[in-house]
Amino acid sequence: CCIDGISVYARNPKMCMLGDQYPLEFDIKACQDVCDVVVTTTLPSGVSYLRSEPAARVDGKTLIWDIGHMQCGEIIPAKVWVKCECEGEQCA
């Protein structure tokens, strides 16, 4: 689904163990030429943020990437490393 010129595809691990660190992976894809791209995600309450690539601005549980201009077909991969703090399903 292409909304406002971009699509975001997310991949979460099938399972993580309590206390483990794991990556959430995102592909940000431009469906058309776009300017001023900003992507946000909200982390679930059962994880703590460790780091991200590219670096995201962190506001509580919200991560914000200021991407800027993207050309049609361009894909920017992003990873967020989190630590599992409780049992249960966790997804961003």
Side-chain angles (χ1 to χ4, degrees):
C1 180
C2 184
I3 299 174
D4 293 333
I6 64 166
S7 296
V8 179
Y9 302 94
R11 293 177 303 284
N12 294 315
K14 298 224 183 263
M15 178 177 33
C16 73
M17 301 298 288
L18 186 62
D20 281 354
Q21 297 178 17
Y22 64 94
L24 304 173
E25 298 179 84
F26 302 90
D27 287 327
I28 304 160
K29 181 179 180 181
C31 310
Q32 61 191 44
D33 289 346
V34 287
C35 298
D36 300 322
V37 174
V38 176
V39 176
T40 64
T41 190
T42 302
L43 297 176
S45 59
V47 301
S48 58
Y49 171 82
L50 299 172
R51 68 187 184 282
S52 60
E53 290 178 14
R57 212 168 1 113
V58 181
D59 183 9
K61 291 284 187 177
T62 301
L63 305 180
I64 305 156
W65 287 274
D66 294 309
I67 305 294
H69 178 79
M70 292 181 72
Q71 295 181 357
C72 183
E74 183 178 358
I75 298 173
I76 296 176
K79 273 190 183 179
V80 178
W81 282 268
V82 295
K83 181 177 179 182
C84 187
E85 301 288 351
C86 69
E87 296 178 359
E89 187 174 327
Q90 311 294 331
C91 61

